[in-house]
Amino acid sequence: MTARPPYDRTAVRPAWEELPTAVRHRLAQLAGAEVIGAEVAGGGFTRGFAGVLRLAGGGSVFVKAASPDLPVAPSSYRAEASVLANLPSGVPAPRLRFTDEVEGWVLLGIEAVDGGRMPGLSWTDGDVASAVRACEEAADALTPAPTGL
């Protein structure tokens, strides 16, 4: 059996502190609280910022921020925001909390969810059952396809 791919180390992303001041300030405004910590996501497909912001008062939000200098990321984040905004409530997916643009950066705020763990190789019966259940719920909620998707 081959080793598990490093899903948690597929992207090189900027740290929270490396984002422009105006971007950090706007994200805190949109999140509704001071940012007291950030856990950057190591997985993904762009070099944009992606991570969970811990907020004063105990809340959190998963945030994406793409520089206008990055190829593909700004348009990908805009498309993701459009899809999330049009998902029906029955789809088992985190909800879009906000989207905005500042100084050319595309910003998204998405519900932070605890993903638990990545399935191992090979998947357990429970892993397969969870994946099938989520696919069936999504198929039911997306049939027929909602307007806007």
Side-chain angles (χ1 to χ4, degrees):
M1 169 129 342
T2 60
R4 177 179 154 185
Y7 293 117
D8 59 343
R9 294 187 315 271
T10 59
V12 176
R13 301 185 183 282
W16 170 250
E17 297 77 18
E18 295 174 306
L19 298 178
T21 301
V23 170
R24 286 181 288 142
H25 178 73
R26 184 64 181 142
L27 285 168
Q29 283 181 323
L30 293 166
E34 176 188 358
V35 176
I36 58 171
E39 181 181 332
V40 178
F45 303 100
T46 72
R47 289 183 291 131
F49 177 85
V52 176
L53 303 182
R54 290 186 313 282
L55 307 173
S60 63
V61 61
F62 181 73
V63 168
K64 291 185 170 187
S67 162
D69 300 330
L70 291 176
V72 182
S75 60
S76 295
Y77 287 7
R78 285 185 195 101
E80 182 175 359
S82 177
V83 168
L84 288 172
N86 285 291
L87 287 178
S89 61
V91 174
R95 300 294 155 205
L96 181 68
R97 288 184 47 187
F98 59 79
T99 184
D100 200 4
E101 297 196 24
V102 61
E103 295 184 357
W105 284 69
V106 177
L107 314 177
L108 275 74
I110 304 165
E111 283 180 322
V113 296
D114 179 10
R117 62 172 183 78
M118 289 291 292
L121 295 176
S122 297
W123 282 22
T124 67
D125 290 344
D127 293 334
V128 173
S130 292
V132 168
R133 187 171 43 258
C135 289
E136 289 173 342
E137 289 174 17
D140 287 345
L142 293 168
T143 304
T147 304
L149 294 178

